[in-house]
Amino acid sequence: MKARSSVIAALALAAASVAHADINVGVTVSATGPAASLGIPEKNTIALMPTTIGGEKVNYIVLDDASDTTAAVKNIRKLISEDKVDIVLGSTTSPNSLAMIDVAAETGTPMISMAASAKIVDPVDEKRRWVFKTPQNDAQMSTAIVEHMTNNGVKTVAFIGFADAYGEGWYEQFSSVADARKLKVVANERFNRNDTSVTGQVLKLMSARPDAILIAGSGTPAALPQKALKERGYTGKIYQTHGVANNDFLRVCGKDCEGTLLPAGPVLVASQLADGNPVKKSALEYITKYEAAHGKGSVSTFGAHGWDSGVLLAAAAPQALKKAKPGTKEFRAALRDALENLKEVPAAHGIFSMSPTDHLGLDQRSRVMVQIQNGTWKLMR
């Protein structure tokens, strides 16, 4: 009788463990290395994400890939094979995220990138069907820049970007939009994230005598060309991408950033948005939580990209839990399907509506034009 009772108790315990399984979330960010100014606020944001979703406990396993592509691939493999995660959030940069796609697809694990390149999710093929992302596409932001240029008398523009997937993706999208709007690109240069000098490239840009220059970089390394341009006396308009929308960039670039124009997610200037803006409430929610933990003025758009990955997870997981339990391939597949079918989800950077052909899901509500004035971000109306 005792043995029978023990068996029944063991079965009950096993049933309970099956009924209630933790959701394990793997995270890889660039908390050190050249992209650290992006990765640190992303890492900080993970601690603000929900610890329960749909009645299930959520565990976050956070790794640093040191802004290195090889390390990012190693991290995602470890998270999936050893930590048995149900989903991976990351990485911070486009090269790292692009390198992780094969592993996500090979293992059937959904992944939400915090990097910008459109190539991370486009086209949605057999591999990318497992991959989603939160930052606005280069094409969306390129359109905003070109519109501003053409509306303000710019006829010729020079381009300098990172010598990697971020820079290449931006040049491809920007030059295409510029060509369609009859804006002439007169120079095209590259630099590395860890370069200490871009004098040669800057001299070539200036020799083309452009009305404006677009710098396609992210984080503090994007300040290097701008400071070099100012030192050489360039007086035309300077545009940056949304990759510089954090306070570390302002600190490093200093007075050389004054007047810089860039597209950004609404969260950067949330308090300046009109009360009727559909993103204002959700953006301010993130800002309030982040600043409560890290101090006033500490928010960056990169942490908000991380926050939005958590918003998407929190919206999709309850649907997936109706079909399968965490820790199974069925749950991972259900989670992927749920992410793909999210509609009108308000987040810090915009309103997300995914589809089988769109794994970003953001529209024009996800961008504003901003100018750096007196060392702060000012919404251009």
Side-chain angles (χ1 to χ4, degrees):
M1 191 70 175
K2 235 181 215 185
R4 185 168 178 268
S5 297
S6 297
V7 170
I8 292 172
L11 288 173
L13 184 62
S17 66
V18 170
H20 298 282
D22 293 355
I23 299 172
N24 290 316
V25 180
V27 183
T28 178
V29 293
S30 302
T32 57
S37 67
L38 287 62
I40 290 172
E42 292 172 351
K43 182 180 179 181
N44 291 343
T45 297
I46 302 302
L48 307 177
M49 290 184 181
T51 53
T52 60
I53 297 175
E56 304 290 353
K57 182 182 176 185
V58 183
N59 303 311
Y60 299 92
I61 301 99
V62 184
L63 302 178
D64 175 20
D65 58 40
S67 309
D68 179 75
T69 299
T70 302
V73 174
K74 182 179 178 181
N75 283 357
I76 189 174
R77 286 199 180 279
K78 178 185 183 301
L79 290 166
I80 293 170
S81 63
E82 297 180 24
D83 297 304
K84 309 298 181 184
V85 299
D86 298 297
I87 187 171
V88 173
L89 310 182
S91 179
T92 301
T93 68
S94 295
N96 286 10
S97 295
L98 287 165
M100 293 161 56
I101 291 173
D102 283 348
V103 182
E106 168 194 321
T107 58
T109 306
M111 165 184 153
I112 305 177
S113 172
M114 304 171 198
S117 175
K119 293 181 179 179
I120 295 168
V121 294
D122 187 27
V124 183
D125 52 20
E126 280 304 304
K127 290 183 179 179
R128 289 173 176 82
R129 68 186 298 270
W130 291 97
V131 183
F132 303 81
K133 78 181 185 80
T134 53
Q136 301 86 343
N137 271 341
D138 310 335
Q140 289 174 305
M141 298 311 213
S142 292
T143 301
I145 291 175
V146 171
E147 284 178 355
H148 188 274
M149 287 180 173
T150 55
N151 288 340
N152 287 274
V154 174
K155 304 294 184 184
T156 59
V157 58
F159 178 96
I160 179 169
F162 281 158
D164 61 24
Y166 187 86
E168 292 303 321
W170 255 95
Y171 182 73
E172 179 182 323
Q173 296 297 331
F174 176 76
S175 61
S176 176
V177 177
D179 183 63
R181 301 292 179 87
K182 309 301 181 185
L183 178 63
K184 188 176 182 182
V185 180
V186 294
N188 177 16
E189 296 293 327
R190 296 288 184 276
F191 70 106
N192 295 309
R193 293 174 186 254
N194 56 358
D195 280 351
T196 56
S197 173
V198 288
T199 300
Q201 296 97 312
V202 163
L203 289 174
K204 290 178 182 178
L205 295 177
M206 293 182 66
S207 68
R209 300 183 181 278
D211 296 328
I213 292 175
L214 170 60
I215 301 169
S218 61
T220 54
L224 181 65
Q226 180 142 358
K227 294 180 78 67
L229 284 164
K230 291 294 186 179
E231 287 169 5
R232 294 284 171 174
Y234 182 71
T235 58
K237 291 182 173 65
I238 297 179
Y239 291 78
Q240 291 270 1
T241 73
H242 57 310
V244 303
N246 69 2
N247 289 335
D248 273 349
F249 173 78
L250 293 179
R251 174 182 57 79
V252 171
C253 202
K255 61 181 177 57
D256 292 325
C257 286
E258 186 66 18
T260 300
L261 299 151
L262 64 145
V267 71
L268 187 66
V269 288
S271 63
Q272 301 173 46
L273 298 173
D275 289 341
N277 188 298
V279 184
K280 185 171 185 175
K281 182 180 177 180
S282 48
L284 287 175
E285 178 188 355
Y286 169 66
I287 292 171
T288 299
K289 290 184 178 180
Y290 194 93
E291 289 188 342
H294 298 282
K296 189 170 178 58
S298 57
V299 168
S300 85
T301 61
F302 302 101
H305 292 315
W307 175 259
D308 287 355
S309 71
V311 169
L312 295 180
L313 171 62
Q319 299 304 313
L321 287 167
K322 294 176 182 178
K323 298 181 178 180
K325 292 299 178 185
T328 65
K329 66 179 182 179
E330 290 80 11
F331 180 72
R332 294 194 298 273
L335 189 53
R336 190 217 74 86
D337 292 347
L339 285 166
E340 190 175 81
N341 286 286
L342 292 177
K343 301 299 178 193
E344 292 293 304
V345 177
H349 272 292
I351 312 296
F352 288 87
S353 291
M354 304 288 186
S355 77
T357 58
D358 183 0
H359 279 196
L360 168 63
L362 290 175
D363 57 24
Q364 303 310 323
R365 293 173 290 182
S366 68
R367 69 177 201 191
V368 294
M369 282 299 295
V370 173
Q371 186 173 42
I372 298 174
Q373 297 179 10
N374 300 316
T376 61
W377 313 103
K378 295 296 182 183
L379 176 66
M380 300 191 70
R381 301 183 186 278

